[in-house]
Amino acid sequence: MKEKLKGLGFSLVIFIAIIIFNTLFGAPPVALSGIEKYSAKVSVEEARELGFILFNNKHYSDARAFFTPSAQQGDVGSQLVLATLYFYDLTTVNNYQQAYRWFSKNSDNAFAQYYLSLLYHFGHYVPQSQVKSLFWIEKSAVQSFPAGQHNLAVHYFNLGDYSQAYLWGLYARANDFSQSRSLVKQAAGHLTPQEKANADQTFRNTNAKHSWDDDNNQISALLEQVF
């Protein structure tokens, strides 16, 4: 927490203290009112810092106030955070519609493609379509997004294509997506020794091009919030 507060002004420290108090003890001693005006007065970096703290404490609507200005100005990272905040905020009317709107603006982004797949899979705002869900999750996985790789592995596992399930699970596991560990083990149990050896060889030959390398600090911070 000390590292998170480093460099912030006294007023920001008080603001964060109110948030923490609310999380631990219930109603805050000071209401978080006029947050939109407050968010407009801080720098972009401070807005992101506070926005992620609010996100972490599930104050989704308040967190959105800190990402909306830069998202509206075209900042991709802020747009993805804003879309994700809408996706998880079930208390907001038309939250999935707003999530779809902002994710669609970045439909070439692997993180956005992952969530577009979920929206189609569950039929949130858009008509439920497993074909479109698979379309987006394949795009996400090909771009080496770990959660996308895992969900594609799950898709193959449910189809009974255990070689592909094992292979995509290996990619996700190599990218530190912990949920894939059990999936890899389960898929391996359905393979013959030769099938497993072939998949392992394919993995060794292709793992480098399926390695996730995200150098966007804002997206990295977002990933820590949801995975």
Side-chain angles (χ1 to χ4, degrees):
M1 179 59 73
K2 289 182 179 179
E3 284 298 318
K4 285 184 175 291
L5 299 180
K6 186 177 180 180
L8 296 178
F10 179 74
S11 62
L12 302 185
V13 174
I14 296 299
F15 187 87
I16 295 171
I18 292 171
I19 297 168
I20 296 173
F21 186 96
N22 183 34
T23 302
L24 296 176
F25 303 110
V30 179
L32 297 180
S33 60
I35 195 168
E36 290 82 5
K37 292 183 179 179
Y38 183 87
S39 64
K41 296 179 181 179
V42 298
S43 68
V44 173
E45 291 74 17
E46 290 171 337
R48 289 174 178 174
E49 186 79 21
L50 288 171
F52 277 118
I53 292 173
L54 285 160
F55 193 158
N56 185 55
N57 287 285
K58 296 181 171 34
H59 293 268
Y60 299 133
S61 61
D62 291 331
R64 287 200 301 270
F66 288 97
F67 292 103
T68 298
S70 52
Q72 292 175 336
Q73 293 175 29
D75 180 66
V76 172
S78 296
Q79 291 177 348
L80 293 175
V81 176
L82 192 60
T84 308
L85 285 164
Y86 276 118
F87 184 90
Y88 288 108
D89 187 4
L90 303 182
T91 66
T92 296
V93 177
N94 296 325
N95 69 303
Y96 290 125
Q97 180 179 356
Q98 289 296 325
Y100 179 81
R101 171 197 172 195
W102 288 104
F103 281 133
S104 294
K105 285 181 178 292
N106 297 281
S107 60
D108 59 342
N109 179 279
F111 183 88
Q113 291 165 350
Y114 170 80
Y115 276 96
L116 287 170
S117 174
L118 292 184
L119 288 167
Y120 278 107
H121 177 80
F122 293 108
H124 292 325
Y125 174 64
V126 295
Q128 189 173 32
S129 171
Q130 297 309 312
V131 172
K132 290 184 177 179
S133 177
L134 179 59
F135 171 82
W136 288 113
I137 206 61
E138 285 181 331
K139 281 184 169 293
S140 180
V142 167
Q143 291 199 70
S144 303
F145 186 60
Q149 293 171 332
H150 174 80
N151 278 13
L152 185 58
V154 171
H155 169 76
Y156 280 120
F157 187 92
N158 291 335
L159 284 180
D161 189 341
Y162 301 114
S163 292
Q164 284 297 311
Y166 177 73
L167 180 60
W168 284 99
L170 286 177
Y171 293 141
R173 188 181 69 177
N175 284 320
D176 298 322
F177 197 76
S178 60
Q179 296 177 42
S180 293
R181 295 170 186 167
S182 61
L183 178 62
V184 167
K185 185 175 181 180
Q186 291 179 61
H190 290 277
L191 300 178
T192 66
Q194 186 58 53
E195 288 172 333
K196 183 176 180 299
N198 290 341
D200 285 334
Q201 184 61 51
T202 299
F203 171 74
R204 287 190 291 270
N205 292 340
T206 60
N207 183 41
K209 72 175 184 178
H210 290 288
S211 179
W212 175 251
D213 182 19
D214 178 26
D215 57 359
N216 186 310
N217 292 331
Q218 189 169 358
I219 295 179
S220 295
L222 176 57
L223 294 177
E224 292 178 5
Q225 299 288 338
V226 296
F227 295 109

mmCIF file of all heavy atoms in Angstrom, residues 32-39:
data_model
loop_
_atom_site.group_PDB
_atom_site.id
_atom_site.type_symbol
_atom_site.label_atom_id
_atom_site.label_comp_id
_atom_site.label_asym_id
_atom_site.label_seq_id
_atom_site.Cartn_x
_atom_site.Cartn_y
_atom_site.Cartn_z
ATOM 1 N N LEU A 32 -18.601 9.465 -0.928
ATOM 2 C CA LEU A 32 -17.824 9.657 -2.151
ATOM 3 C C LEU A 32 -18.702 10.371 -3.172
ATOM 4 O O LEU A 32 -19.137 9.804 -4.170
ATOM 5 C CB LEU A 32 -17.354 8.302 -2.692
ATOM 6 C CG LEU A 32 -16.408 7.512 -1.796
ATOM 7 C CD1 LEU A 32 -16.034 6.200 -2.456
ATOM 8 C CD2 LEU A 32 -15.168 8.325 -1.488
ATOM 9 N N SER A 33 -18.972 11.632 -2.921
ATOM 10 C CA SER A 33 -19.826 12.409 -3.808
ATOM 11 C C SER A 33 -18.975 13.310 -4.691
ATOM 12 O O SER A 33 -17.857 13.659 -4.353
ATOM 13 C CB SER A 33 -20.800 13.260 -2.995
ATOM 14 O OG SER A 33 -20.092 14.151 -2.152
ATOM 15 N N GLY A 34 -19.534 13.713 -5.829
ATOM 16 C CA GLY A 34 -18.815 14.592 -6.748
ATOM 17 C C GLY A 34 -17.555 13.974 -7.305
ATOM 18 O O GLY A 34 -16.610 14.679 -7.650
ATOM 19 N N ILE A 35 -17.550 12.648 -7.438
ATOM 20 C CA ILE A 35 -16.327 11.964 -7.844
ATOM 21 C C ILE A 35 -15.948 12.299 -9.282
ATOM 22 O O ILE A 35 -14.766 12.328 -9.628
ATOM 23 C CB ILE A 35 -16.469 10.440 -7.643
ATOM 24 C CG1 ILE A 35 -15.098 9.769 -7.703
ATOM 25 C CG2 ILE A 35 -17.406 9.825 -8.656
ATOM 26 C CD1 ILE A 35 -15.113 8.341 -7.245
ATOM 27 N N GLU A 36 -16.947 12.577 -10.131
ATOM 28 C CA GLU A 36 -16.647 12.917 -11.527
ATOM 29 C C GLU A 36 -15.831 14.203 -11.599
ATOM 30 O O GLU A 36 -14.859 14.298 -12.365
ATOM 31 C CB GLU A 36 -17.935 13.064 -12.333
ATOM 32 C CG GLU A 36 -18.670 11.754 -12.584
ATOM 33 C CD GLU A 36 -19.527 11.344 -11.399
ATOM 34 O OE1 GLU A 36 -19.613 12.135 -10.428
ATOM 35 O OE2 GLU A 36 -20.095 10.244 -11.443
ATOM 36 N N LYS A 37 -16.211 15.204 -10.798
ATOM 37 C CA LYS A 37 -15.468 16.463 -10.785
ATOM 38 C C LYS A 37 -14.069 16.260 -10.208
ATOM 39 O O LYS A 37 -13.086 16.824 -10.682
ATOM 40 C CB LYS A 37 -16.225 17.511 -9.982
ATOM 41 C CG LYS A 37 -17.523 17.979 -10.623
ATOM 42 C CD LYS A 37 -18.186 19.067 -9.796
ATOM 43 C CE LYS A 37 -19.471 19.545 -10.455
ATOM 44 N NZ LYS A 37 -20.138 20.602 -9.642
ATOM 45 N N TYR A 38 -13.989 15.417 -9.186
ATOM 46 C CA TYR A 38 -12.690 15.162 -8.564
ATOM 47 C C TYR A 38 -11.745 14.481 -9.548
ATOM 48 O O TYR A 38 -10.566 14.838 -9.654
ATOM 49 C CB TYR A 38 -12.872 14.295 -7.323
ATOM 50 C CG TYR A 38 -11.579 14.036 -6.581
ATOM 51 C CD1 TYR A 38 -11.115 14.921 -5.615
ATOM 52 C CD2 TYR A 38 -10.810 12.911 -6.853
ATOM 53 C CE1 TYR A 38 -9.925 14.701 -4.942
ATOM 54 C CE2 TYR A 38 -9.618 12.683 -6.193
ATOM 55 C CZ TYR A 38 -9.182 13.572 -5.235
ATOM 56 O OH TYR A 38 -7.999 13.352 -4.583
ATOM 57 N N SER A 39 -12.262 13.507 -10.288
ATOM 58 C CA SER A 39 -11.421 12.744 -11.218
ATOM 59 C C SER A 39 -10.865 13.627 -12.320
ATOM 60 O O SER A 39 -9.814 13.333 -12.884
ATOM 61 C CB SER A 39 -12.226 11.588 -11.828
ATOM 62 O OG SER A 39 -13.298 12.076 -12.608
#
